Amino acid sequence: MACVTGQTPPVGDRRFELDQEAVTLGRHRENGIVLDDPSVSGRHAVLLREGTRYRVRDLDSTNGTLVNGEPVRDRLLESGDRVAIGEVVLRFEDEADRAGEPDIPVADRLAQTVSIRTAPVRPPASFRSASPFGGKREGGRLWAALVILAAATAVAGMAILIVLAGRA
């Protein structure tokens, strides 16, 4: 049976069996594999079984999905592939791929392990790019000044009307 094994925090060396046709990965609790890390999107990616093979598909995540260090949107997996979901790295293993391969002693497999260093995730300086109305607009301060001027004029006009109504 195929599985993914954690290589980095927060999953450590936990092993997740892929026993369904589709297993979602992400931060939200409704995912098949929950990865509680700020670099992981709510619904980040999905692992899909296609016959005897597995595919990873990115679900338009913020930080993307990588396989063996390469950004991917959709890719068939091979046993031993390293799948990065944000900064969380998982190792894909499929025993069907390994059928017929000689057994490698654990000590030799550990010697073949590769370290991956990632840069820390920094929150954005502002969330203006998240606006559904587009990016930063030119003349924003001028627009605000005009709105304030119009409001002040309206208040002054109402005050004059109140004074005049009081005299009548």
Side-chain angles (χ1 to χ4, degrees):
M1 174 175 286
C3 69
V4 289
T5 305
Q7 303 290 294
T8 60
V11 291
D13 60 354
R14 285 186 54 201
R15 179 181 168 104
F16 302 93
E17 299 289 332
L18 302 178
D19 55 359
Q20 299 174 9
E21 293 295 314
V23 178
T24 57
L25 300 99
R27 244 186 14 257
H28 290 304
R29 297 286 172 218
E30 69 267 6
N31 288 297
I33 299 175
V34 177
L35 303 172
D36 190 20
D37 185 271
S39 68
V40 176
S41 294
R43 281 183 39 90
H44 197 105
V46 62
L47 296 169
L48 301 164
R49 182 172 26 201
E50 295 180 354
T52 60
R53 307 280 312 268
Y54 286 85
R55 170 179 301 280
V56 63
R57 182 173 295 150
D58 185 82
L59 299 175
D60 296 323
S61 63
T62 301
N63 291 321
T65 301
L66 288 82
V67 175
N68 300 325
E70 298 292 321
V72 298
R73 306 261 310 136
D74 189 287
R75 178 165 163 181
L76 279 172
L77 295 172
E78 300 290 332
S79 194
D81 281 348
R82 291 180 171 277
V83 180
I85 306 296
E87 288 190 17
V88 178
V89 180
L90 304 166
R91 185 178 176 95
F92 173 76
E93 294 292 336
D94 190 356
E95 293 176 15
D97 282 355
R98 297 221 173 226
E101 287 186 15
D103 239 359
I104 301 171
V106 173
D108 290 344
R109 275 190 268 152
L110 290 174
Q112 296 172 0
T113 302
V114 176
S115 289
I116 296 177
R117 297 181 71 177
T118 59
V121 174
R122 292 190 180 99
S126 77
F127 288 94
R128 289 181 195 231
S129 64
S131 170
F133 304 109
K136 184 176 179 181
R137 291 173 179 45
E138 294 299 320
R141 290 179 188 225
L142 176 62
W143 178 252
L146 288 174
V147 169
I148 291 170
L149 180 63
T153 303
V155 169
M158 290 180 71
I160 291 171
L161 287 174
I162 291 171
V163 169
L164 291 176
R167 289 187 183 174

